[in-house]
Amino acid sequence: RKSNFGSLECSWLVKNAFAGWRSVQRAGDAAGGPRAVLAQPLALASANLQHLADLQRALQAKDELIIQLQRQMAALSADAAREAHVSRRTKEA
C-alpha cells in the first residue's frame, strides 16, 4: 500500500474518493447520467434561495403593514385625545 499511495490515511482517502465516484456513476445511470445527479443539489439550493427570497418579501410586507398600523393607531389616539380635551372644555363651560 505504501508503495502506491503513501500512508494508510492517503490510502483510505483514495478508496473513499473512488467509492464516492462509483456511487455517483451508479446513481447517475438510474437518474439519467451523473450530471443529473450532480445537478439535483444545485436545483435544490436554487429552490431554497427562491423560497428564502419569498420569505424576505413576505417579512418586508408585514413590516410595512406594522408601520402603517402604528401610524393609524397614533392618529386615532391623537384624535381621541383631542376629543377628550374638547369634551372636558365643553363640560367645564
Side-chain angles (χ1 to χ4, degrees):
R1 227 180 246 180
K2 284 189 176 185
S3 63
N4 292 329
F5 297 111
S7 69
L8 183 61
E9 182 181 357
C10 288
S11 175
W12 277 102
L13 287 173
V14 169
K15 177 186 175 292
N16 290 337
F18 281 117
W21 177 79
R22 277 192 308 271
S23 295
V24 168
Q25 292 297 318
R26 288 177 187 149
D29 291 340
R35 287 182 188 241
V37 171
L38 296 175
Q40 288 172 355
L42 293 176
L44 182 61
S46 177
N48 285 341
L49 287 176
Q50 182 61 42
H51 186 64
L52 183 60
D54 292 342
L55 288 174
Q56 286 176 333
R57 280 191 292 276
L59 281 173
Q60 183 179 2
K62 293 291 182 184
D63 287 343
E64 290 170 2
L65 178 63
I66 288 171
I67 291 169
Q68 178 187 2
L69 292 173
Q70 286 174 336
R71 287 181 184 150
Q72 288 177 358
M73 211 160 88
L76 287 174
S77 65
D79 289 343
R82 264 188 249 114
E83 286 179 20
H85 183 69
V86 169
S87 157
R88 273 188 252 136
R89 282 191 169 177
T90 308
K91 287 181 185 179
E92 291 175 0

